[in-house]
Amino acid sequence: MRLYLMQHALAYSAEEDAERPLNPDGVKQAKHSASGIKRLGLVFDLIMTSPKRRAKQTAALVAEQVRYPYSDIMTTEALLPDRTPAELLELLQKESTDSRILIVGHLPHLALLANTLSGGDLVFENAGLTCLEMSGPKTARLEFHLQAAHLDM
């Protein structure tokens, strides 16, 4: 199984908008990252997102670019910022071992997941993309770790 992890793009602060949707820079950032994902030729069997608006918007912009059906995006509370990696890993066990899955979520959850699986110390940035190749139910090898600026080239 290949996991692609993406932190949502830039969002309004809670003071500006309690729902924290993507701000104009975040929309632009997500679109540029989505274009980079398309240029890389990545295809996803599943796109999963947190139910928070900023994550859903980011996932939708990527899905549009890679022609993944919006209606097939899976929204799950297992991707909320305060959830444990174990909750998501349990959900992922239902997927095929050769699946390519884009996971759009939040910090600290994504960093905990990536670092738990890879044993690394990865730092995430908005709209970047990290790829982990699962080598067991709770271990993975880092394939790449790109910032949004790398995807926008």
Side-chain angles (χ1 to χ4, degrees):
M1 180 179 303
R2 192 167 278 224
L3 302 179
Y4 297 88
L5 309 179
M6 178 178 261
Q7 180 187 358
H8 62 80
L10 295 168
Y12 286 103
S13 69
E15 293 80 30
E16 294 173 298
D17 188 326
E19 287 193 28
R20 300 210 49 218
L22 297 182
N23 63 30
D25 288 337
V27 171
K28 183 178 176 181
Q29 182 184 49
K31 286 181 177 181
H32 286 278
S33 290
S35 292
I37 289 169
K38 182 179 179 180
R39 279 192 308 279
L40 288 171
L42 299 179
V43 177
F44 305 112
D45 300 304
L46 176 62
I47 295 179
M48 301 173 76
T49 184
S50 154
K52 292 196 177 273
R53 188 170 173 193
R54 57 196 177 273
K56 290 172 74 171
Q57 287 176 300
T58 302
L61 289 167
V62 173
E64 179 181 4
Q65 192 64 238
V66 299
R67 300 190 187 279
Y68 183 89
Y70 180 78
S71 60
D72 290 351
I73 296 173
M74 177 193 288
T75 301
T76 176
E77 292 188 2
L79 289 171
L80 288 169
D82 60 348
R83 297 301 170 100
T84 65
E87 292 176 72
L88 180 60
L89 291 172
E90 183 177 325
L91 187 61
L92 291 173
Q93 287 179 356
K94 299 174 185 172
E95 301 301 323
S96 170
T97 57
D98 62 348
S99 293
R100 299 157 297 183
I101 302 171
L102 173 64
I103 297 170
V104 182
H106 314 271
L107 293 181
H109 184 265
L110 289 178
L112 285 171
L113 175 66
N115 293 325
T116 297
L117 292 173
S118 70
D121 191 21
L122 302 173
V123 177
F124 280 74
E125 293 185 14
N126 296 100
L129 188 68
T130 298
C131 179
L132 299 170
E133 179 70 34
M134 296 290 292
S135 53
K138 294 182 181 178
T139 57
R141 178 175 44 94
L142 178 66
E143 289 287 316
F144 59 79
H145 184 65
L146 303 172
Q147 296 174 355
H150 296 131
L151 293 167
D152 191 23
M153 297 180 146

